[in-house]
DNA sequence: GCGACAG
DNA sequence: ATCTTGTCGC
């Protein structure tokens, strides 16, 4: 008996080499983003991130599932596939989602909320990777980025928890610049799907412990960038001449 | 035309 | 993202 909960998933239209076509897909999918708090009790949360191997030839995606209450890691999955396109600012999701979706499908349970590295709607066409992932899977998602892609904001306080709006050229609020820890570079938080602009930063703070990144993102980060093995690796015996 | 530009 | 050791500061 298969205990697999299938990952809800609509068709993901990938990169076909046409930049203009990709931007058009973004404009179309941006209209499907839900910006209200449309999620139930959070029992399982996930973090996803991507790293590269072999000088960029291999795209390596990590998905980590945690207990939303205890933050205990419950499962993790890795997907390694040939890199399908180069990095193009604004089109990140087309480069990374194929691997991310495969990693998520490998988990034996579907998360109630996914934290994705990168932006949600804080994007030139309101469809950063977190929003794209949310629309494609239909799941609630939040984008956690380390740098601004687009938008401006007022000065931010130095203390943990302080935040200011990230605003569009058109005046639209597209995200939150959030100080997750005292005196660290702020994180840029934006809704991906089924989460409001107000709730997104609150959820991020709920899962921040002693590091700058919230646990789901931090753990996925370590796995995707192989920073975990470099820590668990046994001591090498050196032969001194 | 020039500068900016998630990961 | 990735290539990379020690080092400065809280």
């Amino acid at each position: 008996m298969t205990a697999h909960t299938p990952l809800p998933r609509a068709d993901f239209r990938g990169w076909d080499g046409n930049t203009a076509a990709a931007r058009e897909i973004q404009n179309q999918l941006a209209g499907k983003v839900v910006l209200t708090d449309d999620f139930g009790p959070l029992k399982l949360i996930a973090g996803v991130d991507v790293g590269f191997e072999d000088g960029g030839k291999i795209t390596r995606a990590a998905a980590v599932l945690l207990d939303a209450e205890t933050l205990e890691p419950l499962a993790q999955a890795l997907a390694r596939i040939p890199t399908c396109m180069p990095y193009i600012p604004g089109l990140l999701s087309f480069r990374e989602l194929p691997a991310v979706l495969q990693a998520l499908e490998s988990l034996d349970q579907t998360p109630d909320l996914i934290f994705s590295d990168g932006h949600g709607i804080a994007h030139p066409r309101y469809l950063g990777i977190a929003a794209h992932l949310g629309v494609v899977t239909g799941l609630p998602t939040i984008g956690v980025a380390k740098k601004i892609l687009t938008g401006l904001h007022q000065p931010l306080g130095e203390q943990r928890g302080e935040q200011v709006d990230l605003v569009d050229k058109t005046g639209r609020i597209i995200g939150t610049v959030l100080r997750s820890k005292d005196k660290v570079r702020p994180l840029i938080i934006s809704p991906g799907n089924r989460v409001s602009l107000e709730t997104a930063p609150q959820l991020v703070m709920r899962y921040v412990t002693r590091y700058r990144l919230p646990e789901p993102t931090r753990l996925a980060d370590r796995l995707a960038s192989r920073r975990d093995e470099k820590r668990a690796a046994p001591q090498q015996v050196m032969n001194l001449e």
Side-chain angles (χ1 to χ4, degrees), chain A residues 227-241:
Chain A
R227 238 159 304 179
D228 56 327
E229 18 184 278
K230 291 180 180 176
R231 177 170 284 276
Q235 281 295 311
Q236 281 299 313
V237 176
M238 315 235 100
N239 289 308
L240 303 179
E241 304 296 81

Side-chain angles (χ1 to χ4, degrees), chain A residues 6 19 24 26 47 53 72 74 86 102 105 118 122 129 132 156 163 166 169 174 181 190 199 201 204 207 216-217:
Chain A
T19 296
E24 191 39 54
Q26 294 181 320
E53 299 177 14
E72 183 184 344
L74 300 177
Q102 187 172 309
E105 286 164 0
I129 187 168
H132 199 161
L156 176 66
Q163 60 179 72
L166 180 64
K169 297 175 180 178
I174 56 177
K181 297 284 293 178
S190 61
T199 302
V204 169
Y207 300 117
T217 301

Side-chain angles (χ1 to χ4, degrees), chain A residues 6-17:
Chain A
L7 181 72
R9 180 176 172 185
D11 304 288
F12 169 65
R13 292 204 283 160
W15 172 251
D16 66 353

Side-chain angles (χ1 to χ4, degrees), chain A residues 186-234:
Chain A
L187 295 177
I188 317 305
I189 309 303
S190 61
N193 189 39
R194 296 173 61 182
V195 176
S196 69
L197 277 160
E198 298 71 32
T199 302
Q202 295 175 5
L203 287 172
V204 169
M205 287 309 294
R206 176 181 304 180
Y207 300 117
V208 166
T209 60
R210 58 175 302 198
Y211 305 92
R212 179 164 85 118
L213 297 174
E215 287 304 285
T217 301
R218 190 179 72 83
L219 296 179
D221 211 6
R222 299 188 78 71
L223 189 55
S225 299
R226 291 160 294 179
R227 238 159 304 179
D228 56 327
E229 18 184 278
K230 291 180 180 176
R231 177 170 284 276

Side-chain angles (χ1 to χ4, degrees), chain A residues 23-93:
Chain A
R23 292 204 186 93
E24 191 39 54
I25 289 174
Q26 294 181 320
N27 288 327
Q28 197 263 319
L29 294 183
K32 298 191 172 187
V33 170
V34 172
L35 291 176
T36 55
D37 292 313
D38 177 36
F39 54 87
L42 300 180
K43 302 228 173 182
L44 297 175
I45 55 178
V48 296
D49 190 24
V50 170
F52 295 87
E53 299 177 14
D54 195 19
K57 295 189 185 70
I58 299 296
T59 297
R60 170 187 171 113
V64 178
L65 195 65
L66 348 195
D67 180 306
E69 200 55 48
T70 67
L71 294 190
E72 183 184 344
L74 300 177
Q76 61 179 43
L78 269 181
R80 301 170 68 255
I81 63 178
T83 298
C84 64
M85 68 173 279
Y87 167 67
I88 299 176
L91 298 183
L92 180 70
S93 60

